[in-house]
């Protein structure tokens, strides 16, 4: 006798990966229920808060800037960054290779057909560790979606609204999954707690008051519930001490508190799905405390151009590849190797106006509103973009000064530690300024700046013309204290190319899928040890699509 079901498919999590999977299933005529512990204003999950960058290969946007990219070059960059070295990396590597094919093939046309568009200048993110076969992007590949993260979410949310109107899709908000229901070795449903209605703002800590329970059954369950970045204790428990040193006692959160990995643990416990690569993670080193926070320990990432001096807590300059925008984890390792929990950018007003961007849809209201008038007014007028200037004025981590002595005193006041010596800081700035007169020299950062300006997009919109920081005409001087900012889970539930969750023997668990960050963005960690940026949203799109298409054939 066939099992009685409530719908064809249950999706746990209404973030981007879950929305994409739901669209594929509903488009195939299946009934889908999305189970989400937060409120209706949380649709889109972490994608909503993102800058909306997408990793794509050999696109019209790249070709307009004479960027020569190819699937072969992109795959070489990916594999050099991932450095897959474990037996369990077989599926993550297969997913990575398939994603590169997707990102160089149907991805752009698929998204373009849904109305997505991109800012014409392609960004050059995560430029790498210094050699061709290693980590980093050889060319610009970061395509900024017009409308930022909400612009990525919107086409899928609109499709689901249509399906909802026709009875094929239902959203179950404030439903917290506590258990996977199994029968005869297969996952057949979910059960849990109904939470009290809470009208908190998106991202804010919501109530966990239980007002009832639920149990739903379906032909399959897709876990799309995100990673662990909001639970600092869990981040520290999985921290790779051998690679990155001891975990820091103090961190900021780049994601809301409910991004806690709870569903990953439940899936492993009840569905007997394997978790792999839990020690691989992606945390930023350019975090600043949000002066207007939404969630606990709310941090914002600075997305820097290459010109700021990067100093450790004692004021000593980091060596390449620990340069702004080049090698995230190498810099994290260097900070922790020196026993510090923060570092500094030192720059001037000329650099901040051209090179500072803040990550997140809410920090880029002009881009998020898709307003060319606002973009041109904000980006080309005197001063930095308004959100940057607001942080400069209100942010606890910013110091603005006319002289090096005043800057050093401000840095010591903010840190409360008195580590910065004004004379040594002045010497560091003077040494750097001495490399300006020629278009070449021995300073690796100056060489990197000149290389970046060889790309017209950077020269026009992103990288300041080299100049002396000690020139008062370029000032005032600015220092920014940088915190470690939790963000992404690079490992997760082991899954195959179609998103089927795998058990400890590598066999699919019947009825169970894992997508998005819960699956390490694909396969249980398709980034390997390092990410290339634009690949987080890309992984959600790719895995949600593949799992939804496969599940539609079996549920």
């Amino acid at each position: 006798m066939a099992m009685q079901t409530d719908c064809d498919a249950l999706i746990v999590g209404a973030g981007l990966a879950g929305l994409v999977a739901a669209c594929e299933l509903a488009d195939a005529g299946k009934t889908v229920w999305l189970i989400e512990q937060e409120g209706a204003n949380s649709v889109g999950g972490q994608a909503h808060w993102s800058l909306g960058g997408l990793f794509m290969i050999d696109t019209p946007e790249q070709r307009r800037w004479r960027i020569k990219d190819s699937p072969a070059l992109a795959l070489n960059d990916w594999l050099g960054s991932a450095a897959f070295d474990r037996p369990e990396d077989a599926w993550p590597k297969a997913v990575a290779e398939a994603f590169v094919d997707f990102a160089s093939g149907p991805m752009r046309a698929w998204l373009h057909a849904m109305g997505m568009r991109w800012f014409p200048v392609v960004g050059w993110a995560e430029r790498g560790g210094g050699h061709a076969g290693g980590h980093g992007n050889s060319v610009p590949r970061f395509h900024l979606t017009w409308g930022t993260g909400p612009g990525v979410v919107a086409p899928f949310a609109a499709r689901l609204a249509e399906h909802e109107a026709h009875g094929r899709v239902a959203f179950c908000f404030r439903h917290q999954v506590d258990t996977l229901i199994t029968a005869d070795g297969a996952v057949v449903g979910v059960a849990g707690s109904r939470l009290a209605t809470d009208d908190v703002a998106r991202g804010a800590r919501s109530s966990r008051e239980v007002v009832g329970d639920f149990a739903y059954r379906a032909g399959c369950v897709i876990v799309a519930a995100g990673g662990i970045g909001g639970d600092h204790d869990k981040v520290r428990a999985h921290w790779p001490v051998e690679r990155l040193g001891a975990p820091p006692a103090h961190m900021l959160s780049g994601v809301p508190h409910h991004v806690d990995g709870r569903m990953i643990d439940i899936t492993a416990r009840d569905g007997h799905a394997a978790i792999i690569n839990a020690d691989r993670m992606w945390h930023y080193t350019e975090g600043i405390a949000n002066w207007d926070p939404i969630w606990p320990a709310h941090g914002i990432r600075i997305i820097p151009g290459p010109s700021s001096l990067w100093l450790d807590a004692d004021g000593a300059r980091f060596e390449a590849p620990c340069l702004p925008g080049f090698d995230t984890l190498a810099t994290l390792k260097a900070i922790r190797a020196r026993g510090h929990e923060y570092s500094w950018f030192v720059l001037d007003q000329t650099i901040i106006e051209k090179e500072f961007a803040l990550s997140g849809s809410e920090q880029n209201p002009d881009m998020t509103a898709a307003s060319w008038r606002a973009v041109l007014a904000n980006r080309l007028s005197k001063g930095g973009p308004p959100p940057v200037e607001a942080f400069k004025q209100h942010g606890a981590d910013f110091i603005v000064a006319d002289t090096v002595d005043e800057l050093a005193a401000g840095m010591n006041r903010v840190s409360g530690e008195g580590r910065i010596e004004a004379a040594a800081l002045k010497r560091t700035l003077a040494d750097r300024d001495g490399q300006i007169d020629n278009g070449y020299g021995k300073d690796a950062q100056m060489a990197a700046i000149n290389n970046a300006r060889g790309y017209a997009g950077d020269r026009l919109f992103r990288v300041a013309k080299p100049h002396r920081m000690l020139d008062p005409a370029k000032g005032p001087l600015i220092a920014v204290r940088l915190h470690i900012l939790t963000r992404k889970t690079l490992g997760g539930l082991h899954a195959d190319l179609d998103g089927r969750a795998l058990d400890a023997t590598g066999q699919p668990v019947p009825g169970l899928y894992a997508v998005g960050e819960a699956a390490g963005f694909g396969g249980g960690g398709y980034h390997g040890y390092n990410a290339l940026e634009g690949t987080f949203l890309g992984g959600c799109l790719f895995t949600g699509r593949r799992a939804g298409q496969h599940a539609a054939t079996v549920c």
Side-chain angles (χ1 to χ4, degrees):
M1 181 172 159
M3 177 188 73
Q4 185 173 359
T5 60
D6 296 289
C7 58
D8 293 318
L10 291 163
I11 298 176
V12 183
L16 180 61
L19 299 184
V20 175
C23 284
E24 295 296 330
L25 282 154
D27 287 349
K30 303 297 182 179
T31 55
V32 188
W33 291 7
L34 291 104
I35 315 300
E36 170 59 54
Q37 73 175 3
E38 300 304 310
N41 65 356
S42 66
V43 169
Q46 303 324 301
H48 169 87
W49 297 108
S50 75
L51 193 57
L54 295 173
F55 178 100
M56 293 190 286
I57 302 158
D58 192 23
T59 63
E61 290 79 14
Q62 288 176 303
R63 291 193 290 273
R64 288 189 197 107
W65 291 100
R66 299 183 181 180
I67 298 166
K68 296 179 181 179
D69 200 6
S70 69
L73 181 62
L75 183 60
N76 189 65
D77 286 348
W78 194 296
L79 297 180
S81 299
F84 295 118
D85 61 357
R86 297 171 178 172
E88 58 268 35
D89 281 332
W91 277 118
K93 183 173 182 286
V95 175
E97 291 169 342
F99 175 76
V100 168
D101 288 341
F102 176 64
S104 61
M107 178 177 174
R108 185 186 182 281
W110 173 56
L111 298 175
H112 191 275
M114 284 189 280
M116 234 179 265
R117 299 295 184 267
W118 297 276
F119 192 66
V121 181
V122 184
W124 196 352
E126 201 65 12
R127 303 178 190 222
H131 63 93
H135 171 54
N137 285 295
S138 296
V139 298
R141 296 191 178 104
F142 191 81
H143 295 71
L144 179 58
T145 304
W146 196 229
T148 66
V152 177
V153 172
F156 300 100
R159 281 168 65 187
L160 291 180
E162 292 182 16
H163 286 303
E164 188 178 19
H166 289 89
R168 286 185 291 273
V169 167
F171 288 88
C172 302
F173 296 112
R174 300 298 287 158
H175 281 54
Q176 177 182 274
V177 173
D178 300 323
T179 306
L180 297 183
I181 302 171
T182 61
D184 300 324
V187 174
V188 298
V190 299
S193 306
R194 289 191 297 109
L195 304 178
T197 300
D198 192 338
D199 295 326
V200 297
R202 176 193 280 267
R205 185 190 292 273
S206 61
S207 168
R208 288 296 177 264
E209 178 189 354
V210 175
V211 296
D213 55 24
F214 67 90
Y216 304 136
R217 292 175 176 260
C220 68
V221 173
I222 299 176
V223 176
I228 69 171
D231 185 336
H232 290 190
D233 289 338
K234 193 169 289 184
V235 168
R236 292 187 187 96
H238 293 298
W239 189 275
V241 175
E242 319 78 49
R243 294 199 315 277
L244 298 179
H250 165 75
M251 296 182 286
L252 296 178
S253 289
V255 294
H257 77 286
H258 61 260
V259 184
D260 58 8
R262 182 174 175 274
M263 196 64 215
I264 295 175
D265 295 336
I266 290 170
T267 305
R269 182 195 70 199
D270 297 342
H272 303 290
I275 299 172
I276 62 172
N277 300 319
D279 63 325
R280 294 177 183 169
M281 50 188 70
W282 192 253
H283 305 308
Y284 292 112
T285 50
E286 310 101 331
I288 51 176
N290 192 345
W291 64 273
D292 187 18
I294 298 171
W295 54 79
H298 188 175
I300 298 294
R301 183 199 174 202
I302 295 171
I303 304 177
S307 299
S308 298
L309 282 180
W310 205 334
L311 311 181
D312 70 14
D314 292 321
R317 199 171 167 192
F318 288 110
E319 298 178 355
C322 301
L323 306 174
F326 277 73
D327 193 326
T328 294
L329 292 191
T331 308
L332 177 55
K333 180 179 180 179
I335 292 169
R336 298 304 297 136
R338 301 182 189 196
H340 302 156
E341 298 196 346
Y342 67 91
S343 59
W344 295 98
F345 277 163
V346 172
L347 61 153
D348 57 28
Q349 182 65 25
T350 300
I351 292 172
I352 205 171
E353 290 181 6
K354 187 92 176 244
E355 298 196 8
F356 261 38
L358 300 175
S359 183
S361 55
E362 82 284 10
Q363 299 298 330
N364 294 273
D366 50 357
M367 295 277 194
T368 301
S371 168
W372 273 112
R373 178 176 294 180
V375 168
L376 292 174
N378 290 344
R379 312 286 162 152
L380 299 181
S381 60
K382 185 170 179 56
V388 172
E389 289 294 332
F391 265 91
K392 201 176 81 174
Q393 180 180 354
H394 302 293
D397 297 308
F398 280 72
I399 302 102
V400 181
D402 291 323
T403 69
V404 176
D405 287 344
E406 292 171 355
L407 191 71
M411 294 165 76
N412 288 330
R413 182 181 67 254
V414 166
S415 71
E417 294 184 332
R419 291 173 177 264
I420 305 299
E421 295 182 2
L425 179 59
K426 189 176 297 185
R427 215 165 32 246
T428 297
L429 286 164
D431 288 345
R432 178 258 182 209
D433 283 359
Q435 297 287 304
I436 292 296
D437 288 341
N438 298 295
Y440 50 85
K442 67 180 181 180
D443 189 277
Q445 184 170 9
M446 296 310 302
I449 293 168
N450 290 326
N451 182 60
R453 287 177 59 82
Y455 165 45
D458 271 354
R459 185 172 65 254
L460 293 173
F461 296 101
R462 191 75 174 109
V463 181
K465 183 177 181 181
H467 60 273
R468 296 176 183 273
M469 282 194 196
L470 292 175
D471 180 354
K474 304 298 183 181
L477 294 168
I478 301 166
V480 186
R481 181 176 56 171
L482 306 173
H483 306 261
I484 294 168
L485 179 73
T486 65
R487 201 59 164 267
K488 299 298 183 185
T489 308
L490 298 190
L493 295 165
H494 200 187
D496 67 10
L497 190 54
D498 291 314
R500 295 183 297 175
L502 307 176
D503 65 18
T505 70
Q507 295 302 305
V509 177
L512 183 62
Y513 294 80
V515 297
E517 190 171 359
F521 298 95
Y526 88 146
H527 291 102
Y529 290 97
N530 289 284
L532 290 172
E533 296 295 354
T535 53
F536 301 120
L537 294 181
C540 292
L541 293 166
F542 180 73
T543 60
R545 188 174 191 241
R546 288 292 294 248
Q549 290 173 345
H550 188 275
T553 68
V554 298
C555 69

